[in-house]
Amino acid sequence: MQRPPILTIKQVRIISAVATCASLARASEQLNASQSSLSRAIAEVEGRLGQRLFARGWTGMEPTSQGEVVIARCRHMMSSIHAAQEALKAAGARIADLGHHLAWDLLSAVSAIRKTGSVSAAAEYLERSQPDISRALAKIATATGRPPFARSRFGMTATNDAVILADLHTKLLMDVMTLPEQLAALSGKVTGRVSVGLLPFSEQDIVVKVFGEMLSRHRHVRLQAVTGSYAALIDGLRQGELDFVIGPLRNPPPYDILEERHLYDEFFAVVARADHRLARGRRKLQDLVIENWVVAPHGTPTRRHFEELLIGQGLVPPSQTCEIVTFALAEQMIMHSDVIGLLTYSRGKLKAIAKGLKVLSLELPANARAIGLTYRKDQPLTAAQRRFLDILDQKAMRLARAK
């Protein structure tokens, strides 16, 4: 008796749907099945493979490194099923969702009859009963609206439908049979996830550089960088949806379970468009209060510094401001309008600011701002996370030493 493939076609559909939707709830709606049945199916596959496929993450149900391999196979299989469905429909078959009807025993029955030419020979070949093979044919006929074989005194003659389904069987088998080998290839390699929250209004170039080096060294690690407000990212960190948050330090962090580590300093600068009327000559803060500003949101260290800077010199912070969360969008806003903004840059970026922008010549007291890492104190580090931190520390040291 042949051993069944490691995944059922139903499980292939479920894995593909959950990966696409990143949610059991949305996948259950798509497949018209209960969340509990989907959860059980995934748990069964994970138990059989000895690998976890999904984990809770920032975007919902996120694949693990091993899950990525399985999902890629499942999506390829679903693509083959969709192509077969379209071929059947083009040939006149009435079928809306081929994947819903398919199972390995149905496809193997079609393939065996096509190969042997009769139900009895197919039953003997597959070591199954003739009634079982006949039931499989009846299910296929119900799904497509017509029988896959024509009976004659010479046996069973394959129709075009049978050819399409038999070819599909071969393609799906090739996909699923190579899966254990692909998963075994990950053994001994650094796998896992590194999910980093990026706080607004700081460069964050360092994360891009660290991710680039991680990809070149450890191609099977899943890397994720997400932006958001401090409250949202810290909540994600506390719930385990994020591994680290990088950006301006609060010193101390707002929760006892969190810890902060300094990496390097950035420096405040008032930035305008390169051809802005304020771009020439030295300026004083009182000259700038009446301007339109791009500022960080309320509650952020950058916004607090902005207001304390003005109040410290007896000035009233402007009430008309434009709040933008991301650093890159703030630069774009400044570059394409008459607004000015208070941003922070590393020393290197201050010397090579983006084309189209100019740092105004202006004295800013206490303009250094600590940038660092926020993480959970009790967080056990995976191999992937340790590698990330090693590379991050190396690049932060170079930034800190830069003149």
Side-chain angles (χ1 to χ4, degrees), residues 240-374:
E241 296 168 349
L242 297 174
D243 303 315
F244 308 105
V245 171
I246 293 180
L249 297 180
R250 259 47 178 185
N251 191 27
Y255 301 100
D256 290 340
I257 64 167
L258 300 180
E259 194 160 331
E260 292 182 337
R261 177 153 65 86
H262 178 263
L263 292 172
Y264 63 97
D265 287 335
E266 288 183 353
F267 301 88
F268 287 101
V270 177
V271 182
R273 198 177 66 243
D275 60 354
H276 196 285
R277 56 187 170 76
L278 298 172
R280 295 181 181 179
R282 294 189 65 81
R283 299 292 171 181
K284 294 183 179 181
L285 274 175
Q286 52 262 43
D287 301 330
L288 308 178
V289 174
I290 61 171
E291 298 297 324
N292 291 319
W293 286 78
V294 169
V295 295
H298 280 288
T300 63
T302 302
R303 180 60 171 266
R304 187 166 59 249
H305 182 85
F306 171 71
E307 293 175 349
E308 290 174 352
L309 188 63
L310 296 175
I311 292 170
Q313 297 197 22
L315 303 172
V316 178
S319 58
Q320 290 284 5
T321 59
C322 174
E323 292 188 4
I324 293 183
V325 173
T326 63
F327 183 86
L329 284 178
E331 283 195 326
Q332 288 295 312
M333 180 74 181
I334 295 167
M335 198 177 297
H336 297 292
S337 70
D338 284 330
V339 301
I340 59 176
L342 183 71
L343 305 180
T344 62
Y345 294 90
S346 64
R347 293 190 189 278
K349 269 298 185 71
L350 277 172
K351 295 177 181 177
I353 197 166
K355 186 178 181 181
L357 295 177
K358 183 176 176 62
V359 175
L360 301 189
S361 182
L362 180 73
E363 288 283 342
L364 291 178
N367 73 330
R369 181 175 68 167
I371 302 296
L373 199 70
T374 305

Side-chain angles (χ1 to χ4, degrees), residues 165-307:
L165 292 169
D167 288 346
L168 175 62
H169 183 228
T170 300
K171 291 175 182 176
L172 297 183
L173 273 181
M174 288 179 65
D175 272 330
V176 79
M177 298 307 285
T178 57
L179 189 51
E181 182 181 344
Q182 286 188 304
L183 289 171
L186 295 181
S187 178
K189 297 186 183 297
V190 177
T191 62
R193 180 199 75 167
V194 178
S195 184
V196 183
L198 306 180
L199 288 171
F201 266 59
S202 58
E203 297 177 15
Q204 307 297 2
D205 279 9
I206 190 171
V207 176
V208 175
K209 293 173 182 176
V210 174
F211 273 18
E213 193 160 332
M214 281 288 292
L215 284 173
S216 65
R217 293 189 190 182
H218 310 293
R219 62 187 301 267
H220 298 292
V221 173
R222 295 190 67 251
L223 300 173
Q224 184 181 51
V226 297
T227 59
S229 68
Y230 184 80
L233 295 182
I234 292 300
D235 189 51
L237 185 63
R238 292 171 63 205
Q239 295 187 41
E241 296 168 349
L242 297 174
D243 303 315
F244 308 105
V245 171
I246 293 180
L249 297 180
R250 259 47 178 185
N251 191 27
Y255 301 100
D256 290 340
I257 64 167
L258 300 180
E259 194 160 331
E260 292 182 337
R261 177 153 65 86
H262 178 263
L263 292 172
Y264 63 97
D265 287 335
E266 288 183 353
F267 301 88
F268 287 101
V270 177
V271 182
R273 198 177 66 243
D275 60 354
H276 196 285
R277 56 187 170 76
L278 298 172
R280 295 181 181 179
R282 294 189 65 81
R283 299 292 171 181
K284 294 183 179 181
L285 274 175
Q286 52 262 43
D287 301 330
L288 308 178
V289 174
I290 61 171
E291 298 297 324
N292 291 319
W293 286 78
V294 169
V295 295
H298 280 288
T300 63
T302 302
R303 180 60 171 266
R304 187 166 59 249
H305 182 85
F306 171 71
E307 293 175 349

